[in-house]
Amino acid sequence: MSESAPELTAELMVDGAVARRPVISPDGRWVAYAVAPIGMREKHPVSALWVAAADGSSPPRKLTAGTANDSAPRWAPDSGSLFFISDRRERGTPQLHRISPDGGEAEALTTWKGGISDHLPLGDAHLVAVIAADEPTAEDERREAERDDAKVWGERVPYDRLRLLDLGTGELRVMDGLGDRHVVEVVQRPDGGPLAVLSWAAPELDSSASTAGLHVVDPAAGTVCDLGRIEWQACSPTWWNVHGVWHVAYLAVTPPGTVGGLAVFDVTVPAGEHRNLTAGMAVCPTGLAQVADGAPLALFADGLDTAIYRLDPEAQRFERVSTRDGGVDSLTVSRSGEVVAALASTAYEPMDVHAGPPAGPLIRLSDTRPELRRIRWGTQERLSYKAGDGLDLDGILILPAGKRRQDGPFPLVTLVHGGPDDRHTDEFNGRSFPPGQWLATAGYAVFLPNPRGGWGHGHEFAAAVAGKVGLDEWTDILSGIDLLIADGVADPDRLGIGGASHGGFMAAWAIGQTDRFKAALMDAGISDWGMLVATGEQATWEVELGGSAGWEGPGPHRHDRLSPISFASKITTPVLILHGENDPNVPLSQAIFFHRALRHFGVEHEFVVYPREGHSFRERNHRLDLLRRTRAWFDRWLGDPASDQTRI
């Protein structure tokens, strides 16, 4: 008799580990990566560094103990050592360390009081570029000790500055020429030449919307060349060369607004026009990887899948190299460009480190969740359907574990992704909270829609929600639900909806538009766009999403017509509201406002605040509570006492 599959418990979901930030050695032989527990048990996070042979010829080896937060591995240019950040000396204050890939004791390289934000080993083996804020002065320490610490806006700003660490002397000196710019990313030209540096005017995230800049810094000459202002969400500066002319490519949101798909922009050095190399493409770039001996590679969100593209340096356009089912993230490439490594997941395999040639196949190197292989998961299906206006849409359906379509109709929970600039892919749905598979193993069908506003279908698709949140994207979701009802998969009398962040907004919006849902989950969701502009960390973006700001006059404002709070009097659906106490992205006030409105109108709801948590929940006990609470909530309102379909 075959052994029965184990029960999927909340502990099994939370007490596993996850691989992060793989980086391939320049010679293409090794891949280093961090492994961290999913649920944080103590005050400070922990993670360990691992190294694996890129060709899979030997099993991965653990390099560090994982008793501190060892993270951000980067190889020396000669592949002979690995640099990383760790707070092992003082918890919560990361310092730069170095270790041999063969193992042994790690060497501490800095004792910087403010801690190190990021680092990059340079072609000059004696130097490392370091990003770190200024150390506190004696006056800063006095003010803190005496609580004489009134904060004046714009004063004593903790800019992250670009510094050079001399490994011979231990000296850490700031690079002049960038002034009071907050340095975000740095990458060196492959021939060991100057650095491409991305900066903001101030550390606030909203500052990057209008003040991001790109610079070329020459450490040897001590010069800085300004390449001009760049667009919203700029990241991943990447060098490449054609006919002896150097270029810097980078990712940023397609202008003129802050809402839309990312594009690959390019500028010649020392000066030139910033050109969009991906204009008109029906896919969205999500990552760039520098190739020392050739043109850069890029990851593209392509519907439910992910593709690797290579830049054609002559035509200066991207050409598809390969497509992989599901999700791929964190692409890294060897110096020659012949070997890549990335995080990858498919429908029933969680995210793990994979490596191989860009054209594939990629082999799995890490195995962080072997305990999940014996679980009986819900069957995952790809969906293709049309919106009411004829637009092509896609999504994922997860059937209840052990069930087929013909066993329906089932209670259906629709889980809307965040962003809105995100997407559901055909990957293992165990990372989001609550995960689709967590509900599928409890007897629910789960619908994961990709309405307009997300990535994977080009810029215009992603930009369609600017000033229109909750409108066409809502009917996109509704079209998918109606299709599943018509197909006999979903029980129209047992519908639930939920999501986190923008997905939480959509859940709150949906129940103000219809009473079709019997239960809703609002996790870190937006209830009032005007208040989010006032208190959130990305005001410029929120203004464009919601369509207006309160400072534009006495109103009526467009954002009021797009805010769930405005429709609270129409809500009859029971709501579970979950929120992190210290969320800077969608502050707790959004949940409190919605809670007070529901209380005012006598709507059944439960309001849960998780102490110390930000926009996503990290602590183990909080994650366990979220899983159990959300499943119990849908059981309470969607369960059918006369049927055994809700529990299997």
Side-chain angles (χ1 to χ4, degrees):
M1 179 180 293
S2 61
E3 186 178 357
S4 61
E7 177 189 0
L8 180 64
T9 63
E11 287 82 1
L12 196 58
M13 293 292 291
V14 170
D15 288 340
V18 60
R20 295 175 178 166
R21 200 167 175 173
V23 57
I24 196 165
S25 60
D27 62 13
R29 296 179 57 206
W30 304 99
V31 180
Y33 54 95
V35 174
I38 294 172
M40 192 171 76
R41 293 174 178 266
E42 301 173 355
K43 179 180 179 180
H44 297 288
V46 297
S47 64
L49 295 186
W50 289 68
V51 65
D55 61 2
S57 59
S58 60
R61 291 179 288 107
K62 192 175 182 180
L63 281 184
T64 65
T67 55
N69 191 18
D70 299 338
S71 62
R74 293 186 185 272
W75 291 93
D78 65 359
S79 304
S81 58
L82 192 66
F83 293 78
F84 66 100
I85 291 175
S86 176
D87 63 355
R88 58 184 61 191
R89 178 175 177 269
E90 179 184 353
R91 299 309 307 275
T93 304
Q95 301 292 347
L96 185 63
H97 292 71
R98 177 172 55 185
I99 193 170
S100 166
D102 296 326
E105 194 64 31
E107 174 190 9
L109 301 175
T110 62
T111 55
W112 195 252
K113 285 185 179 181
I116 304 300
S117 298
D118 204 354
H119 63 105
L120 178 71
L122 300 183
D124 182 337
H126 300 290
L127 296 176
V128 179
V130 170
I131 299 176
D134 292 340
E135 292 186 297
T137 64
E139 175 64 9
D140 293 331
E141 293 175 343
R142 182 200 66 78
R143 285 166 52 88
E144 181 179 2
E146 298 177 7
R147 295 180 178 267
D148 179 22
D149 54 357
K151 295 182 179 179
V152 180
W153 197 264
E155 293 184 6
R156 301 179 182 274
V157 178
Y159 298 101
D160 270 352
R161 303 186 191 277
L162 177 63
R163 307 172 191 272
L164 290 180
L165 172 65
D166 188 314
L167 294 174
T169 65
E171 179 188 7
L172 193 59
R173 63 180 177 87
V174 69
M175 279 295 303
D176 295 326
L178 291 172
D180 284 336
R181 298 284 298 181
H182 180 70
V183 174
V184 180
E185 286 189 72
V186 58
V187 63
Q188 186 172 34
R189 207 169 72 183
D191 63 355
L195 313 176
V197 178
L198 192 155
S199 73
W200 302 343
E204 291 83 8
L205 184 59
D206 192 56
S207 175
S208 68
S210 58
T211 67
L214 186 63
H215 323 271
V216 173
V217 176
D218 188 333
T223 59
V224 176
C225 174
D226 186 2
L227 296 182
R229 178 183 172 275
I230 49 183
E231 303 299 332
W232 170 252
Q233 289 190 15
C235 61
S236 300
T238 303
W239 289 92
W240 64 282
N241 183 300
V242 59
H243 302 310
V245 178
W246 284 103
H247 296 241
V248 175
Y250 60 93
L251 292 176
V253 172
T254 306
T258 61
V259 176
L262 292 177
V264 178
F265 292 90
D266 179 72
V267 58
T268 56
V269 178
E273 178 186 359
H274 293 244
R275 299 173 299 114
N276 184 346
L277 300 182
T278 53
M281 295 181 70
V283 289
C284 295
T286 60
L288 276 175
Q290 181 168 295
V291 178
D293 300 334
L297 296 175
L299 285 180
F300 280 76
D302 184 3
L304 300 172
D305 300 316
T306 309
I308 296 178
Y309 280 66
R310 188 189 305 276
L311 179 65
D312 181 335
E314 298 294 337
Q316 298 196 13
R317 65 171 179 263
F318 281 89
E319 303 288 346
R320 187 185 297 260
V321 176
S322 62
T323 300
R324 182 180 172 90
D325 291 351
V328 180
D329 197 5
S330 303
L331 182 69
T332 174
V333 60
S334 66
R335 182 176 183 86
S336 67
E338 296 176 353
V339 187
V340 300
L343 296 174
S345 170
T346 53
Y348 306 107
E349 287 288 333
M351 275 283 181
D352 261 313
V353 179
H354 290 66
L362 302 182
I363 59 173
R364 181 172 53 80
L365 302 182
S366 65
D367 190 10
T368 55
R369 305 299 308 275
E371 68 276 12
L372 298 183
R373 291 205 175 91
R374 294 180 53 235
I375 299 296
R376 182 173 58 172
W377 301 112
T379 301
Q380 193 158 299
E381 296 183 7
R382 295 171 176 241
L383 295 177
S384 296
Y385 62 101
K386 288 188 179 294
D389 59 4
L391 182 67
D392 289 328
L393 300 171
D394 59 39
I396 295 291
L397 169 67
I398 308 176
L399 292 171
K403 301 293 184 178
R404 301 171 298 173
R405 274 182 173 246
Q406 51 265 46
D407 297 323
F410 308 104
L412 177 78
V413 178
T414 298
L415 296 178
V416 186
H417 66 65
D421 53 355
D422 200 348
R423 62 177 179 140
H424 289 300
T425 68
D426 193 12
E427 66 178 338
F428 176 70
N429 196 258
R431 290 194 296 167
S432 58
F433 270 72
Q437 286 286 3
W438 172 246
L439 295 176
T441 55
Y444 296 95
V446 180
F447 174 41
L448 308 172
N450 282 323
R452 67 195 81 193
W455 289 345
H457 298 284
H459 167 66
E460 296 302 325
F461 185 93
V465 296
K468 301 177 183 178
V469 287
L471 301 180
D472 290 340
E473 59 177 325
W474 161 233
T475 58
D476 290 349
I477 294 167
L478 207 55
S479 294
I481 295 172
D482 289 340
L483 172 66
L484 294 174
I485 292 173
D487 286 349
V489 173
D491 182 344
D493 295 323
R494 291 191 289 167
L495 299 177
I497 190 168
S501 192
H502 192 79
F505 154 73
M506 285 305 307
W509 174 263
I511 58 177
Q513 309 304 308
T514 180
D515 60 1
R516 294 176 64 180
F517 297 102
K518 298 301 185 288
L521 164 65
M522 180 190 185
D523 178 359
I526 298 98
S527 63
D528 186 286
W529 290 100
M531 190 164 64
L532 189 60
V533 172
T535 59
E537 62 183 351
Q538 300 183 75
T540 304
W541 192 39
E542 314 300 359
V543 169
E544 189 166 348
L545 281 171
S548 61
W551 55 64
E552 294 173 2
H557 295 292
R558 180 166 181 78
H559 67 255
D560 292 324
R561 299 195 296 272
L562 301 178
S563 294
I565 200 71
S566 300
F567 300 89
S569 63
K570 299 181 179 181
I571 295 175
T572 59
T573 302
V575 189
L576 173 60
I577 305 171
L578 308 176
H579 219 102
E581 185 178 45
N582 299 327
D583 188 342
N585 188 291
V586 180
L588 179 60
S589 55
Q590 294 286 325
I592 294 174
F593 198 10
F594 204 61
H595 152 67
R596 288 177 176 174
L598 296 181
R599 184 177 61 186
H600 176 78
F601 290 111
V603 180
E604 181 88 30
H605 71 287
E606 186 174 298
F607 179 28
V608 184
V609 177
Y610 293 95
R612 300 172 300 280
E613 298 288 13
H615 194 52
S616 58
F617 303 154
R618 304 176 68 185
E619 295 188 24
R620 176 182 184 270
N621 288 336
H622 293 163
R623 285 183 170 237
L624 290 172
D625 181 84
L626 186 150
L627 288 176
R628 294 170 180 148
R629 193 178 297 275
T630 53
R631 186 186 274 183
W633 184 256
F634 286 120
D635 283 351
R636 176 182 175 185
W637 300 104
L638 303 186
D640 182 357
S643 171
D644 64 353
Q645 290 181 340
T646 307
R647 283 288 184 184
I648 57 174

